[in-house]
Amino acid sequence: MTFVQARNRIIQDLSSYLGCQIRLSGQVDDKPNYPLGYYSVLTPRTSDHAFGLKEVEQIGDEFIEKRYEPVEATLSFTFCSENRETEDGFILGEDEALELAERANSFFLLYAHEILTENGNIVIRNVGSVANRSSFLVEDTVCRYGFDVRFAYTRIDKKPTTIIEIGNGSGEFQK
């Protein structure tokens, strides 16, 4: 599994659970509709730089060398809202942002402690505490709460390879 595959699965599952958009931080876009969440990549790959476990897999007449390495990554999540009037009444942005952050935090602690994917498992290693991340934006305050999540997965690198057959003098070959 690659970091992008793991990240995309986490974002997809979290967005579906919360029922709101989760986007990458720092993207140029029109003013968003609140509420929303965004994420930043803090560390895409943390490893002990071990050589990993290697194996050769035969697929038809071809051979693929695979390298497996346990790695960790950290994402930072922030959930935003602002005070506004809606058809259903006034929304206090502070409360809405905090509620989203708390629900997202619960998602990782209860529902997504291990995410099964077709490329391997993603294991949540650490879920940080929800903290205030609000900031003043021109005329109003954008209410923000967030936390960091550290997760682990198995990175798999692949490359085509060849097998050299060596004769042992008896007419038999070894791979």
Side-chain angles (χ1 to χ4, degrees), residues 20-43:
C20 77
Q21 183 181 16
I22 310 287
R23 61 169 86 169
L24 178 60
S25 174
Q27 299 301 299
V28 177
D29 205 350
D30 294 332
K31 184 177 178 187
N33 293 324
Y34 291 107
L36 71 97
Y38 65 86
Y39 69 93
S40 301
V41 177
L42 299 183
T43 54

Side-chain angles (χ1 to χ4, degrees), residues 54-58 62-66 161-163:
K54 292 183 180 180
E55 71 176 9
V56 175
E57 179 181 340
Q58 183 174 359
E62 297 181 8
F63 293 89
I64 305 295
E65 182 179 355
K66 292 183 176 180
T161 191
T162 56
I163 300 296

Side-chain angles (χ1 to χ4, degrees), residues 61-131:
D61 291 338
E62 297 181 8
F63 293 89
I64 305 295
E65 182 179 355
K66 292 183 176 180
R67 179 182 172 277
Y68 300 86
E69 177 187 14
V71 296
E72 291 186 351
T74 304
L75 295 175
S76 181
F77 291 95
T78 302
F79 299 90
C80 309
S81 184
E82 68 180 354
N83 297 339
R84 65 192 185 283
E85 283 289 338
T86 67
E87 294 175 0
D88 298 328
F90 182 77
I91 293 184
L92 184 61
E94 179 84 8
D95 292 348
E96 187 175 48
L98 178 58
E99 180 183 337
L100 265 178
E102 289 288 348
R103 285 183 56 220
N105 198 270
S106 293
F107 169 79
F108 288 110
L109 292 171
L110 297 173
Y111 299 102
H113 202 65
E114 182 176 14
I115 300 170
L116 307 177
T117 76
E118 60 278 358
N119 299 308
N121 296 349
I122 302 166
V123 178
I124 304 302
R125 290 284 173 98
N126 183 285
V127 180
S129 299
V130 172

Side-chain angles (χ1 to χ4, degrees), residues 107-166:
F107 169 79
F108 288 110
L109 292 171
L110 297 173
Y111 299 102
H113 202 65
E114 182 176 14
I115 300 170
L116 307 177
T117 76
E118 60 278 358
N119 299 308
N121 296 349
I122 302 166
V123 178
I124 304 302
R125 290 284 173 98
N126 183 285
V127 180
S129 299
V130 172
N132 190 321
R133 297 179 177 179
S134 294
S135 65
F136 187 70
L137 181 65
V138 185
E139 299 172 348
D140 200 1
T141 297
V142 176
C143 303
R144 296 179 178 141
Y145 282 87
F147 58 92
D148 298 343
V149 173
R150 190 175 78 238
F151 61 94
Y153 62 97
T154 301
R155 178 186 169 95
I156 303 171
D157 296 301
K158 301 176 187 179
K159 75 173 186 173
T161 191
T162 56
I163 300 296
I164 299 173
E165 296 181 316
I166 301 172

